[in-house]
Amino acid sequence: MIRRPPRSTPKPSSAASDVYKRQQVKRDMPIEEAEARGIKIVNARWLDDGRPVEGDPDNVRSRLAATEERPIAHEELLIADRLQATSPFVLRFLLSSAATKVATDGTRRRLIARYDVSMSVYCAPSEGRIAVRPPKDLQVPGVVWYLERAMHGTRKAARLFDAYVIDSFATAGLQQLDYMHMTFVLPELDLEIAVNNEDFVAEGVRESLDALDAIMERFFDVKCLPRIGPPEYGGEVTSGEHLSCVISWTRSGFTCENNLKHVRNLLNLLGFDDDTQGVDTPSVRGGKGALLTLDELPARQAKIFRAAAGTLQYIAENVLAIKQVTAEVMQGMAVPLAIHWLRLDRVARYLINHPAEVWHYDYQDNPGVLDEICDSDWAGDVVPRKSVSCIIERFGKHILDCTVNKQKAIALYSDEAEFYPIVKAGAQSIQSKSTLEAFGHRDVHIKIWSDSSAARSIVQRQGPGKLRHLDIKDLWIQEFIRLKKAEVLKILTD
């Protein structure tokens, strides 16, 4: 991020050129030379994020992005960034790990460290085949910027930065987890770190994090943010932001909740004000009226819908109560219909009354068990009659994740609808168990819980039985259970 004037008061931004020179992002090149060498030339634009620069009210934090993909609206480009972001899923593993590990003397010393890498993709070398026309406030007639380093908006920017991070951490001795995107461990220091674009987060004791600070400063232009945790063991603050979350520490452990600024952004996009009435449920069951709301939205309203739906998906990563309705809203991203707008309006009104959920990661001993709690809503969608799977993943007292997905196949029976979430739970439990063990939690046993005796019987036998239409690719779960890699147990419906 760099500082530049907000859109309402445009003026030249000399700070931008200074940053690019220091980072060796680009060099000026006559446009004739670029064309003669066959270098692709694209435009670049400012993306304001609305955050003022501390101590400089005339500027906002911003970034420059190339428009190689296609010229799209500012709001759409921000949504694309959000949809590509890594889920807070890994963050919850880090918090759970920090709240579970105990020092040899029985003390709880673990801290959460955060790092903000300045202009992250500019750390990665460019492939040397693209130049950009800068915005008008930075243009020099007849000159383009030949990119020495990757820039936001170019197709390969994120991939190049990821490769730079992987190579840099490998040089420093960190090991990448193959089964968890951009997650690294350093076993000698009992340290774990997750990467999401320019935001890095890690958990460990003070001495380990001091060593990580040195690694970060060696390879990146980085700002080390205050550490969160017990002050007697190096904690500097008791709360701080990371991605869409606010992380907090108390004597009981850590908590994580969604950042309310994203809820405010959603309400503003929909034109809600202080007098807008909230509701206490995020959705309602559709009936005959659902069939009368299949008209496409006008172009302007569809644009607002997509912007708001992208923001809603970002919020839903940390608000379990809106997971299912968010999945239903996101079905309208390609062709927004009136029914999708009604669902969006309803869940936004729910967020007026219930804007936040808090995930608690209280201090605990290693439970040794990863629980997967499964359920389904058979034929719950009144139009296509598809079922919905829901899985809650828990490590001791800590909820690690909650997934809500519409099943691809139309389940003909309720036991078939209950079978599919067990299969999905088994698959994700393999990844989660491997991650927990890489984080130092050994001998983790998987337990899958379902309230359907028929679904449990399907996974505990061999072959499809009478349900011959079951896809053979889903029957691997039977071998998984037979080899005792997981248990399938009964949970009460209520």
Side-chain angles (χ1 to χ4, degrees), residues 63 77-90 158 162 181-182 195-199 242-244 262 310 313-314 317:
R63 61 177 170 170
L77 195 51
L78 287 181
I79 291 171
D81 283 352
R82 287 173 180 166
L83 295 180
Q84 293 168 4
T86 303
S87 162
F89 176 57
V90 183
D162 286 355
H181 180 65
M182 296 304 290
V195 180
N196 182 298
N197 297 328
E198 66 267 19
D199 297 304
H242 178 71
L243 299 178
S244 58
H262 302 299
Q313 187 182 44
Y314 205 52
E317 292 289 352

Side-chain angles (χ1 to χ4, degrees), residues 112-118 193 198-202 206 208-228 234 236-237 241-242:
I112 300 297
R114 299 161 296 140
Y115 303 89
D116 185 4
V117 175
S118 176
I193 181 169
E198 66 267 19
D199 297 304
F200 292 52
V201 62
R206 175 167 46 194
S208 298
L209 295 176
D210 289 342
L212 180 60
D213 288 354
I215 293 173
M216 293 296 295
E217 290 169 354
R218 174 183 172 188
F219 293 102
F220 306 99
D221 182 3
V222 64
K223 179 180 180 181
C224 300
L225 302 176
R227 295 172 184 172
I228 303 170
E236 299 165 309
V237 294
E241 295 183 14
H242 178 71

Side-chain angles (χ1 to χ4, degrees), residues 190-391:
D190 193 14
L191 183 71
E192 298 88 39
I193 181 169
V195 180
N196 182 298
N197 297 328
E198 66 267 19
D199 297 304
F200 292 52
V201 62
E203 77 89 13
V205 297
R206 175 167 46 194
E207 295 76 13
S208 298
L209 295 176
D210 289 342
L212 180 60
D213 288 354
I215 293 173
M216 293 296 295
E217 290 169 354
R218 174 183 172 188
F219 293 102
F220 306 99
D221 182 3
V222 64
K223 179 180 180 181
C224 300
L225 302 176
R227 295 172 184 172
I228 303 170
E232 62 270 29
Y233 298 117
E236 299 165 309
V237 294
T238 56
S239 66
E241 295 183 14
H242 178 71
L243 299 178
S244 58
C245 312
V246 177
I247 304 168
S248 301
W249 172 84
T250 66
R251 292 295 171 185
S252 300
F254 294 91
T255 63
C256 177
E257 64 180 298
N258 56 299
N259 195 322
L260 295 183
K261 71 180 181 182
H262 302 299
V263 176
R264 291 192 292 269
N265 291 342
L266 173 63
L267 301 181
N268 290 336
L269 276 170
L270 296 178
F272 290 0
D273 55 29
D274 293 339
D275 297 326
T276 303
Q277 188 71 31
V279 296
D280 291 322
T281 55
S283 63
V284 293
R285 283 283 187 179
K288 295 181 179 179
L291 299 175
L292 305 177
T293 55
L294 301 182
D295 295 332
E296 289 190 26
L297 297 179
R300 180 175 177 80
Q301 190 176 10
K303 181 179 178 180
I304 297 173
F305 170 85
R306 291 189 177 99
T311 303
L312 178 66
Q313 187 182 44
Y314 205 52
I315 297 168
E317 292 289 352
N318 296 294
V319 181
L320 297 186
I322 66 172
K323 285 261 187 178
Q324 179 170 346
V325 67
T326 299
E328 295 172 348
V329 169
M330 295 305 295
Q331 294 171 17
M333 287 296 280
V335 183
L337 305 178
I339 190 170
H340 299 126
W341 181 269
L342 293 175
R343 289 169 177 168
L344 174 63
D345 181 88
R346 176 78 186 194
V347 68
R349 291 176 184 273
Y350 170 80
L351 290 171
I352 292 176
N353 286 358
H354 308 278
E357 284 184 357
V358 181
W359 299 58
H360 291 267
Y361 297 91
D362 293 345
Y363 288 126
Q364 65 174 7
D365 295 328
N366 187 348
V369 175
L370 178 66
D371 293 305
E372 305 281 346
I373 304 169
C374 309
D375 201 2
S376 74
D377 181 19
W378 179 39
D381 196 317
V382 298
V383 180
R385 307 304 292 177
K386 288 189 174 183
S387 305
V388 174
S389 298
C390 177
I391 305 167

